[in-house]
Amino acid sequence: MATLPDEFIKDKIADSHLIFQRGKDLYRYGSFFLSEEDRDKNIFIYDVDGNYGIYKNVITLNDDRLISTCTCPYPGNGCKHVVAAIMYTRKRIQENDIPNDDLDEKQAPYLSEKEIMEQAIT
């Protein structure tokens, strides 16, 4: 499956470089929710908090082909919601590709349960 680099998303998915930047910002701010994920079919469904309500965004990856839809009122196919959802989908795929054996508590990017308790007490 393709790695979906930023250049591909900017040049092939987003309708403009401005929309790409807005989608990247939306991704960073996390104004969306992964409501459904089917890893067998590589379908990811998002609820995106938009200007006029919640939009449904569907990303499907099949045989190195990407299909995206969004219910927002934007007239094109490469809206900022699609950009943000593809970036998050890329992250989900990359995280899932890491073997569990490679992660131990010392390398984890988060605090252990004991460290959380210690910080909460102090």
Side-chain angles (χ1 to χ4, degrees), residues 5-17 20 83:
D6 278 357
E7 289 302 313
F8 174 79
I9 298 169
K10 181 171 41 175
D11 296 337
K12 303 293 183 187
I13 303 297
D15 282 350
S16 71
H17 292 284
F20 171 77
V83 170

Side-chain angles (χ1 to χ4, degrees), residues 11-55:
D11 296 337
K12 303 293 183 187
I13 303 297
D15 282 350
S16 71
H17 292 284
L18 178 61
I19 288 175
F20 171 77
Q21 192 58 49
R22 288 180 177 167
K24 194 173 179 179
D25 290 342
L26 185 66
Y27 166 71
R28 270 187 282 184
Y29 299 138
S31 300
F32 54 90
F33 172 73
L34 179 62
S35 60
E36 192 175 331
E37 177 180 11
D38 185 339
R39 293 306 301 257
D40 293 331
K41 295 179 182 177
N42 284 323
I43 297 173
F44 303 83
I45 301 173
Y46 298 88
D47 291 330
V48 183
D49 185 13
N51 293 337
Y52 303 103
I54 303 295
Y55 309 132

Side-chain angles (χ1 to χ4, degrees), residues 1-15 20 41-44 46 57-70 77-91 93:
M1 183 171 299
T3 58
L4 300 170
D6 278 357
E7 289 302 313
F8 174 79
I9 298 169
K10 181 171 41 175
D11 296 337
K12 303 293 183 187
I13 303 297
D15 282 350
F20 171 77
K41 295 179 182 177
N42 284 323
I43 297 173
F44 303 83
Y46 298 88
N57 195 308
V58 180
I59 305 296
T60 307
L61 300 167
N62 288 323
D63 301 322
D64 291 332
R65 199 171 126 215
L66 184 141
I67 302 167
S68 61
T69 61
C70 184
N77 293 327
C79 67
K80 64 184 179 181
H81 311 110
V82 165
V83 170
I86 290 171
M87 288 181 159
Y88 191 73
T89 299
R90 172 181 64 192
K91 179 183 174 194
I93 290 168

